[in-house]
Amino acid sequence: MLDQETARERALEAAEELFYSRGIQAVGMDAVRNASGISLKRLYRLFPSKEELVLEFLRQRDSRWQRALASYVDAQSRTEERIAAVFDWLYKWFSEPDYRGCAFINSFGELGAVSPEVAEQARHHKKAFHDYLAGLVRASGRPAELADQLALLAEGAITTAAIFGTPEPAHQAREAARFLMHTHPGPDLPELRR
């Protein structure tokens, strides 16, 4: 028999794959049971309701997503390149064969009107992403409003890539971000010179 933590991880992995690929409302606990191999009784002991499973799926996805983004972006040595790297990372994400858009936008669209907790998780994710961009903008010495503009570019690329099934919106948004950075010049720091 699987220990508690292994069973929980297996259930969450199955739920994530199913919720992201099919949609939350289309997936019942029976499907999670079948995909995970965890009995329905044990599944409900781990997650007393489907909503609790959905919320934990969103929390874990948020944490992984934020870490993966920061790891990729923070590897860039120049501040200006870190902002552009956000869009390079988005391109990699959009190129994944199972890319189906933002799990938080998708879950908000499905459940945001009926589940305040799901809506809050979506807002939390988007705020954390915006705050990350704001930190990059601050580090570049550019005006704070640039972060709002970059966030809109990124969010538009995320949605457009999902709808049209192509990663190219990330490149288009990257070019627009570069244009915005040049219209909002930072201080004349050596690391920002071309």
Side-chain angles (χ1 to χ4, degrees):
M1 182 177 207
L2 298 174
D3 64 67
Q4 192 81 346
E5 190 54 37
T6 303
R8 183 172 161 65
E9 287 173 19
R10 189 178 287 181
L12 280 164
E13 285 171 13
E16 177 166 13
E17 193 279 320
L18 292 169
F19 291 157
Y20 187 68
S21 65
R22 297 185 195 170
I24 295 170
Q25 293 187 55
V27 174
M29 293 296 267
D30 287 338
V32 176
R33 175 200 60 203
N34 293 340
S36 67
I38 308 294
S39 73
L40 199 56
K41 183 177 178 181
R42 187 156 192 209
L43 189 57
Y44 275 109
R45 277 200 314 262
L46 294 167
F47 302 97
S49 70
K50 180 180 171 182
E51 184 173 44
E52 286 187 39
L53 180 60
V54 169
L55 292 171
E56 188 57 28
F57 145 66
L58 291 172
R59 282 190 285 271
Q60 286 200 357
R61 188 166 181 100
D62 173 59
S63 179
R64 274 196 319 277
W65 194 92
Q66 301 291 349
R67 277 194 316 270
L69 172 65
S71 175
Y72 185 88
V73 171
D74 295 349
Q76 303 299 314
S77 58
R78 292 178 49 212
T79 306
E80 184 169 297
E81 288 308 311
R82 286 187 184 132
I83 293 173
V86 168
F87 298 92
D88 295 336
W89 183 82
L90 290 175
Y91 185 89
K92 283 180 51 173
W93 178 38
F94 300 168
S95 298
E96 292 175 2
D98 66 344
Y99 178 72
R100 211 180 138 268
C102 174
F104 298 88
I105 292 172
N106 297 347
S107 65
F108 185 85
E110 284 193 75
L111 300 172
V114 295
S115 172
E117 293 86 1
V118 167
E120 183 52 37
Q121 281 298 311
R123 281 190 288 275
H124 167 79
H125 175 76
K126 295 305 179 182
K127 182 177 182 328
F129 179 48
H130 184 279
D131 291 348
Y132 182 73
L133 290 172
L136 295 175
V137 168
R138 254 190 324 278
S140 77
R142 289 179 165 81
E145 65 265 12
L146 178 60
D148 296 333
Q149 297 163 349
L150 294 174
L152 287 173
L153 282 174
E155 295 297 345
I158 290 167
T159 302
T160 303
I163 291 170
F164 289 101
T166 175
E168 286 309 309
H171 284 161
Q172 295 159 348
R174 185 182 198 270
E175 290 310 306
R178 282 198 174 281
F179 175 78
L180 287 170
M181 286 189 286
H182 290 294
T183 62
H184 296 296
D188 191 18
L189 299 171
E191 67 188 73
L192 297 179
R193 290 188 189 131
R194 289 202 157 242

